[in-house]
Amino acid sequence: MKARRPKTYYTPQELETESSKQIQHIHRDFIRKINASDYPCLGAKSAVHTDQYRLGIYGEMGSRESTEALAKDLKKYIEETVVEDSQYMTMIAIFTDAAYSEIEFEKKLWTQLQALHNLERIFQPWDPEVSSDPEADDFSFSFNGSAFFVVGVHPQASRKARRFDYCAMAFNLHRQFEQLREKGLYEKMKNSIRDREISYDGGINPMLRDHGKGLEAPQYSGRMVGKDWKCPFRR
């Protein structure tokens, strides 16, 4: 008989009653980070305040076990976001292995994204709304036919907003940004976030670019890179 895979995907309600002290601790730290009055990301705050978030808790970043569990959970997250028609729903994949330097974390992040892609590449098309070439201005990571903007956070991040006690990746569906644009909310929110980031981190993240107006791939890990940086991801 096949062993049952341990639970890895949690709604806010499930986290409130979770018996694991480690998972309770991770959840508290996440909420404390986002709820800090000066934390700059208003989208993350909206997600937390309206329970529009999901946590995935995994072991080693990039391992086969973590990849298989994360793939299953991302599909569930996509389904729930579409059903709820949420503009702020986010999924945070948290990995409980050791902390890494910024360069090591960047390698791990792209190893994990490559592993996710390799797992499904013969079954699912790339989201046609974005490019699969990480050197193109309209690139976004795609999984299960849906484009994502990925935000890496970890303990050694040089940007304060990207620091967290665990290595993690926030997956945000690209269509949510387009919905905000269609409603005329995107520019106002973006400007407010950047104003808050100046106060929080001493300046705007120099790697940030609007989709289609600069490379997206260098933004994922949070590390400041030069023009000669090459994304290791390959479709």
Side-chain angles (χ1 to χ4, degrees):
M1 185 175 178
K2 190 176 180 180
R4 186 177 181 182
R5 189 186 296 274
K7 183 175 176 60
T8 52
Y9 183 84
Y10 296 87
T11 66
Q13 293 75 25
E14 290 171 331
L15 287 161
E16 291 296 331
T17 59
E18 173 57 41
S19 60
S20 166
K21 290 184 178 180
Q22 181 189 36
I23 293 175
Q24 286 181 355
H25 177 74
I26 291 171
H27 185 218
R28 282 197 302 269
D29 282 356
F30 167 71
I31 295 299
R32 187 181 301 117
K33 172 82 174 179
I34 305 302
N35 273 344
S37 60
D38 56 348
Y39 186 71
C41 185
L42 299 176
K45 284 182 172 293
S46 294
V48 166
H49 295 162
T50 58
D51 284 348
Q52 296 290 292
Y53 66 94
R54 302 292 184 264
L55 289 193
I57 312 292
Y58 312 99
E60 181 184 354
M61 198 174 186
S63 70
R64 179 177 178 179
E65 183 179 43
S66 294
T67 300
E68 290 177 350
L70 177 55
K72 175 177 67 71
D73 295 345
L74 276 174
K75 291 176 183 178
K76 188 172 183 180
Y77 158 72
I78 293 170
E79 291 173 1
E80 292 181 352
T81 304
V82 171
V83 168
E84 297 187 25
D85 193 27
S86 171
Q87 294 175 173
Y88 301 109
M89 180 83 87
T90 184
M91 180 180 164
I92 301 90
I94 296 173
F95 303 87
T96 58
D97 55 343
Y100 304 103
S101 69
E102 280 202 299
I103 292 177
E104 290 170 335
F105 175 77
E106 181 181 80
K107 290 178 180 177
K108 276 286 191 177
L109 179 144
W110 285 107
T111 295
Q112 181 63 85
L113 293 179
Q114 187 73 59
L116 279 170
H117 173 64
N118 292 346
L119 193 66
E120 68 142 25
R121 62 185 176 186
I122 63 174
F123 305 110
Q124 292 288 346
W126 200 267
D127 188 327
E129 297 298 318
V130 297
S131 172
S132 61
D133 179 2
E135 295 187 19
D137 286 352
D138 58 344
F139 166 83
S140 285
F141 179 71
S142 176
F143 183 79
N144 200 47
S146 296
F148 286 92
F149 182 75
V150 181
V151 178
V153 296
H154 63 107
Q156 303 303 318
S158 56
R159 301 286 302 179
K160 183 181 174 184
R162 294 284 192 119
R163 257 176 245 150
F164 187 55
D165 288 346
Y166 293 88
C167 294
M169 300 159 66
F171 288 85
N172 303 291
L173 282 168
H174 228 281
R175 69 170 68 103
Q176 294 172 305
F177 297 100
E178 297 309 316
Q179 289 172 340
L180 289 172
R181 284 190 176 94
E182 290 169 3
K183 294 180 178 180
L185 300 174
Y186 178 78
E187 287 298 322
K188 182 178 180 181
M189 176 177 281
K190 181 188 76 173
N191 292 335
S192 294
I193 290 172
R194 293 186 178 182
D195 287 344
R196 290 171 62 86
E197 190 173 21
I198 292 172
S199 299
Y200 188 78
D201 240 326
I204 296 172
N205 186 340
M207 301 310 300
L208 290 183
R209 300 288 186 276
D210 285 346
H211 186 69
K213 298 181 180 179
L215 297 184
E216 181 171 299
Q219 302 179 51
Y220 284 6
S221 76
R223 185 173 78 91
M224 186 173 178
V225 299
K227 293 182 178 180
D228 58 345
W229 180 83
K230 296 293 182 183
C231 180
F233 178 82
R234 293 293 177 267
R235 183 180 179 187

